[in-house]
Amino acid sequence: MDQNWTIVISVDKDFSGYKKRNFYLTNFLLGFLWMLFHFTVVFFFTFQLKSVVLVGIFLWIGNLVAFLVDIPVWILQKYFKSKTLYTFGAFFQLLAMGIFTLFIFQATDFITQNASWDSKIINGLVNFIFWDLLALTLLLIAAISYGLAKEINDVTTLSYIMNNVPPTSYSEIMARSGIFSGIGMLFWLISSGTIMTLNPKLIVFTLLL
C-alpha cells in the first residue's frame, strides 16, 4: 500500500540566549572598531594633511571596492560560517588601521623634523606621502581593505539575521543591532575625548592597542 509522505524543510530560527548575546556584542565591537578606523583616517588626512577632500576620495575608493565585491561576498555566506567571515572582516579592518597608524607616526616625525619650515610643512608632507610608491601602494591596500571589511561585515550581519531570525522580527533585530553598533561608536568617541583631554599625545599610542 502506497503512502504519501510530506517532507518539511525548515531553518532553525531559534535566536535567543548566547546567539542573541554574541550577535549584539559583535555589533558593539564592530561599531567600536569602525569609529576607531575612521578616527585614524580623519586624523591623518584632516589634522595632518589638512585636506577633507582626501578623506572623501579615500572613502569613495573603499565604497567602490565594496560595490564590486557585493555579489561575491553574498556567495561566500553559503560556504563560510558567520564567525569566520567576521574574522576576515576584522582582519582587513585592522590592516587598514595599521597602515594609517604607520602613516600617522611617519607624519608626526616628519612634522617634528621640519618644524622650522612652518609654511612648507603641509606641502612637504603631502609630497612625502603621495610621491612615494610604497606609500601610495599602502594607501591603495588600506582603501581596498576598508571596502572589503565594510562589505563583509554588513553582508554577514544581514545574512546572519535572515538565517536565524523569523521574518516577522527582521526589523526589530536590525534596529537593535544598529543601536548596539551606535553604542560601540559612542563608547570610542567618549574614550578618545577623555584621552585627548588628559594628553593629546596619548591618542596616537591608543591606536596601537
Side-chain angles (χ1 to χ4, degrees):
M1 183 174 180
D2 296 333
Q3 292 182 343
N4 294 326
W5 296 91
T6 301
I7 300 177
V8 178
I9 301 176
S10 62
V11 179
D12 180 16
K13 297 293 185 179
D14 181 23
F15 185 68
S16 60
Y18 75 93
K19 274 189 176 182
K20 181 181 292 187
R21 179 199 62 197
N22 291 345
F23 177 72
Y24 290 143
L25 178 60
T26 299
N27 278 271
F28 172 85
L29 293 175
L30 287 176
F32 182 87
L33 287 177
W34 273 122
M35 188 54 64
L36 176 57
F37 166 76
H38 283 92
F39 179 88
T40 60
V41 174
V42 173
F43 187 90
F44 176 67
F45 284 127
T46 304
F47 290 96
Q48 293 190 312
L49 298 189
K50 306 296 183 182
S51 176
V52 179
V53 175
L54 292 177
V55 178
I57 294 174
F58 175 83
L59 295 179
W60 177 82
I61 295 174
N63 282 296
L64 177 62
V65 172
F67 172 77
L68 294 175
V69 301
D70 181 67
I71 295 177
V73 171
W74 274 107
I75 294 175
L76 291 177
Q77 304 298 316
K78 181 179 180 181
Y79 300 99
F80 294 93
K81 294 181 178 180
S82 299
K83 184 185 298 184
T84 303
L85 292 170
Y86 276 131
T87 302
F88 286 150
F91 168 77
F92 288 118
Q93 208 167 347
L94 291 173
L95 176 61
M97 283 191 292
I99 291 174
F100 275 100
T101 302
L102 174 64
F103 284 154
I104 289 172
F105 274 95
Q106 288 182 335
T108 302
D109 291 339
F110 184 88
I111 292 172
T112 302
Q113 294 171 6
N114 297 273
S116 59
W117 299 81
D118 294 336
S119 61
K120 299 181 179 180
I121 286 179
I122 302 305
N123 289 333
L125 183 58
V126 171
N127 290 332
F128 172 75
I129 295 295
F130 290 96
W131 289 101
D132 184 85
L133 182 59
L134 177 61
L136 284 174
T137 302
L138 289 175
L139 277 175
L140 183 59
I141 292 175
I144 293 173
S145 297
Y146 161 72
L148 290 173
K150 181 179 185 302
E151 193 63 20
I152 290 174
N153 291 336
D154 289 349
V155 170
T156 302
T157 296
L158 290 175
S159 176
Y160 188 85
I161 291 174
M162 289 188 290
N163 289 332
N164 293 276
V165 177
T168 55
S169 300
Y170 282 171
S171 59
E172 176 187 351
I173 300 303
M174 287 182 182
R176 289 185 178 182
S177 68
I179 291 173
F180 274 86
S181 178
I183 293 174
M185 294 180 183
L186 179 62
F187 183 76
W188 165 248
L189 286 175
I190 295 174
S191 301
S192 61
T194 303
I195 293 171
M196 293 189 73
T197 300
L198 296 175
N199 188 342
K201 293 182 180 179
L202 293 177
I203 198 65
V204 178
F205 294 99
T206 62
L207 300 177
L208 297 177
L209 299 179

